[in-house]
Amino acid sequence: MIILDVRGRSPTTDYVVIGTGTSDRQMKSVLDDVRELSTELGHGSSRIDSDDRSLWLLADFADVVVHLFEPNTRAHYDLEMIWGDAPRVDFARDGEPPTTGIDRAGINR
């Protein structure tokens, strides 16, 4: 997963989150967790969307847009390249050191 700071680069959002799932079930579960967390934090999503085969799921929270992809679809659309000049945001999961993300090969950057 990577988080890109697109403030000043995008007219519609401040941050883009890009993640990869290994199955449609996993991706839908992650999207449900994202939606639940946003509700707990007092932010409702303005739009939740997916394609027919669940290869690309999207949650739009205005200031943050979350994209969840199946690996081949993520490689095809390559949003990291579209936002290639955007700085990556350091983040940390509970109990782990901060990282700027994991690339498509699963390697910490």
Side-chain angles (χ1 to χ4, degrees):
M1 179 177 72
I2 64 169
I3 303 170
L4 302 173
D5 181 345
V6 296
R7 292 176 293 179
R9 292 172 173 81
S10 169
T12 59
T13 192
D14 292 336
Y15 297 93
V16 174
V17 178
I18 304 169
T20 304
T22 57
S23 70
D24 63 339
R25 183 177 182 182
Q26 179 193 44
M27 291 167 51
K28 288 177 182 177
S29 177
V30 169
L31 187 65
D32 288 342
D33 288 347
V34 166
R35 186 180 312 158
E36 184 178 310
L37 179 61
S38 71
T39 300
E40 289 174 11
L41 296 173
H43 304 283
S45 64
S46 59
R47 183 173 182 186
I48 303 287
D49 202 1
S50 67
D51 64 3
D52 292 337
R53 297 178 293 158
S54 297
L55 300 175
W56 184 353
L57 306 179
L58 177 124
D60 184 346
F61 301 96
D63 292 341
V64 177
V65 177
V66 178
H67 298 271
L68 302 172
F69 290 100
E70 174 275 333
N72 291 328
T73 305
R74 180 174 176 176
H76 176 77
Y77 287 101
D78 201 8
L79 294 185
E80 292 94 329
M81 179 59 80
I82 292 171
W83 298 109
D85 62 340
R88 293 180 183 223
V89 176
D90 290 339
F91 67 94
R93 294 182 178 102
D94 290 341
E96 294 182 9
T99 180
T100 55
I102 297 176
D103 70 12
R104 280 178 255 168
I107 300 169
N108 280 326
R109 295 186 199 217

